[in-house]
Amino acid sequence: MSKPFLGVGWAFPIQADASGAFQLAEYEESVRQSVWIILGTAKGERVMRPDFGCGIYDMVFDINSAATAGKVSEAVRDALLSFEPRIDVVNVDVRPAGHGEILLISIDYEVRATNNVFNLVYPFYLERSVA
């Protein structure tokens, strides 16, 4: 089913397909990759768009606590609301995983044009604290 209203663009990471052309990300996959790029970009990282990205990287040295999880959740929600207009954020859940320095950010989002709901889990690594 063709859904050109969701967009088609270069896949991330950029790579060649079997014919040697740039591989493309289409429709819902394009949206998923866009969410991943937003979360993987620190604010100020892009010179021409210093406001683009997610503020979670300002918290890399924070202690793994409920307060940090709340701040991470809010930063993720704010970034997605600001930079991905094709989705509605349904839920952002942040939980520690295994060792104390890993947070798993689970994002449930709905693609506005199709009403399809997706889940993406993004691992975020806090700097190990020295005791």
Side-chain angles (χ1 to χ4, degrees), residues 81-129:
L81 289 173
S82 296
F83 300 112
E84 186 43 81
R86 298 175 290 180
I87 67 170
D88 287 321
V89 178
V90 176
N91 189 41
V92 177
D93 184 46
V94 180
R95 295 176 187 243
H99 303 143
E101 68 272 1
I102 301 172
L103 292 176
L104 293 180
I105 305 168
S106 177
I107 303 150
D108 297 321
Y109 63 92
E110 180 178 356
V111 177
R112 290 179 177 175
T114 62
N115 294 327
N116 291 333
V117 178
F118 296 90
N119 176 268
L120 182 140
V121 178
Y122 186 86
F124 179 62
Y125 300 90
L126 297 168
E127 184 65 35
R128 184 181 297 258
S129 60

Side-chain angles (χ1 to χ4, degrees), residues 14-31:
I14 297 172
Q15 53 193 351
D17 64 12
S19 69
F22 288 118
Q23 189 172 7
L24 299 177
E26 299 179 332
Y27 318 132
E28 279 95 348
E29 178 61 19
S30 173
V31 173

Side-chain angles (χ1 to χ4, degrees), residues 27-48:
Y27 318 132
E28 279 95 348
E29 178 61 19
S30 173
V31 173
R32 187 193 70 75
Q33 289 185 10
S34 175
V35 169
W36 195 268
I37 289 168
I38 292 166
L39 296 177
T41 304
K43 287 190 179 248
E45 184 176 329
R46 293 192 177 181
V47 176
M48 301 301 284

